[in-house]
Amino acid sequence: MPAKRTPETPEGSAPPAAEKEPPPVGKTTASAARRDDRAAGAAGSGAGTAGSAARNVGSTAGSAARTVGSAAGTAPAREVPAEAVTPLIRGIAVLRELTEAGGTLSLSGLERASGLARSTVDRITATLARMGYVRFDGRDVHLSPRLMELGNAYMSALRLPALLSPHADALADELDESVSLAVADRDGIRFIHQATRRRAMSLSFRIGDLLPAERTAPGPLFATQWTAADWQRWRERRAADPRDLSFTAVPPRTYEGDAEDNETFVHRTREASTHGWSLDDQLIEPGLVAISVPVRSPGPGGRIASVASVVSHTSRHTAGNLRTTLLPRLRSAVRAMERELHTAPPPEPGPPPSDLALWTGASKQQLGREFIESLARGLTVLTAFGEGRPELTLTEVSQATGLARATARRALITYEHLGLVAAAGRTFTLTPRVLSLGFPPLSRTSLPEIAQPHLADLTSRIHESTSLAVLSDSGEEIQYTARVATARVMSVNITVGTRLPAYATALGRVLLADASEGIREAKELPALTAHTITDKQKLAEALTSVRSQGYALMDEELEEGLRSIAVPIRDGSGRVVAALNTAMHASRRTPRECVTDLVPELTATAARIQTDLHTAARFTHVPLT
């Protein structure tokens, strides 16, 4: 039965008197302060990845509307539509401020950055935490990997990352250079894939980062398709932000751009149109060079779907050398990408999200005023899009989310105003700006970072230390990568980075059970205690048991008096990539109590870690250490 909804302030109406924000005039935000640190007295503009400049002030949206202006360049302020959902505008503002801050801000910092009342910030973050999009650590608010499902919806609908990234990765391996894929975001470019090289001088941006078109190699290629209105918007942004202070992914210019700089970009665009490729010769920062070739969509006109770039630095290649040496191989890879776009069969639509309206209604009933139902329902609209669902009508959005047509319509109106959704006739599509909602900082998340808050929560529940570990390259040792210790006089003392023999640990047994070939190749299994299994056949039987029961229980095999139990962490393909355990003195719990009391807790925590891992790893590489 649907949960009964608790009445709340109508969407789009002014907040109650206690929550009204002070007038925005003269208010200094944290975003502006950060830009002022880079250049005193700079005027706020709207090209930053969080869109904290180009403030669009509406009579009902309050000062939060100022933080959700154009994310791809300063544009004339547009009046907030009367039917826009004010709580949704404010929630997007908070997510963008957190994104611009690198993923973490204190509650008071969010209050200053967004210009919202503290009570409003508290309600917004409580709602986002309920959705799993943020988490609290004391008074700090952190973006959570689950937020990446919004960007994943855009990437899935776009299809380009799934189709083109294998070719980009292969080219990076062939050239031993970084390769990126980018799409246009108004008068900027936004990265959708990065294949980077591991070396001391590494060159990479984060997926979702926004760069000014005129300082990149892909920019002139995209500009060959600009309309007169696009060029006008670009010139307005350049005039308002001549030093690119609001593009937080690139170093600011050391001087203010002028008309000559503008004409240089116009000339580069003409050359790109003539040659079919474009160069970046240290425009972003000294030493960085790149060459780009467009990837064109199938069909008449062949519009640019994406741009592939090879990125290097001047100690390895000059800009001219990129053109003469690497351009032919880049063009060959792009031809393969275009064949992929031409021949790929249309995707089968995946299952749309279900029961979202019921979930938000139940959450509102449970949490009351602290849960902003209109914000939660508005955010669920973005998840209606995805693979096989790149364009949706209002009716299809309503059906996918379970929301009333009127609710879905107002959310889409709000998103169109914020530039997150584009309308074409009766259909709507997501824009690259959806990636500005937390994707850049979260795209660099590692498995230990994903697991750490879950370990802390598990430790607080079971009152035992918990750890995460991976198998070493040799397959003979485990390495601890995350750990949360409990406060006890007598506790297991292991630090992150510690290596132990895999065969004699619960963590190792779980990992070896998924890769038991390493046991047959192992040289010796020395006895560490009187209980250690040292016979390879018996160990193989133990691993078979671990695979069937889903956990490993070790009783004093590593050290006398030490008892531990572990469960697997699996990636999206089902492969075991890490293990989660807890360890204690044997006197605290019997082996049976370990199974009955701890295995359910460990398994539930492993499932939560896996959910976050699968979300984060869908379009990014998540390091295991």
Side-chain angles (χ1 to χ4, degrees), residues 373-389:
E373 189 174 12
S374 56
L375 168 59
R377 293 192 166 189
L379 290 172
T380 64
V381 165
L382 297 178
T383 66
F385 298 83
E387 188 171 6
R389 304 190 306 277

Side-chain angles (χ1 to χ4, degrees), residues 150-169:
L150 303 183
N152 286 347
Y154 164 74
M155 302 277 261
S156 298
L158 184 65
R159 291 193 76 201
L160 294 179
L163 294 176
L164 305 186
S165 59
H167 298 281
D169 294 344

Side-chain angles (χ1 to χ4, degrees), residues 45-121:
S45 59
T49 56
S52 57
R55 315 296 188 173
N56 294 321
V57 182
S59 59
T60 62
S63 55
R66 295 177 298 147
T67 68
V68 290
S70 170
T74 299
R78 294 180 299 147
E79 184 178 353
V80 177
E83 293 181 279
V85 184
T86 301
L88 184 55
I89 292 177
R90 292 170 173 169
I92 295 296
V94 166
L95 288 175
R96 283 181 165 165
E97 292 295 351
L98 281 166
T99 301
E100 185 174 287
T104 302
L105 266 179
S106 66
L107 287 166
S108 57
L110 269 176
E111 179 186 1
R112 292 191 299 271
S114 65
L116 295 169
R118 177 57 181 270
S119 59
T120 303
V121 170

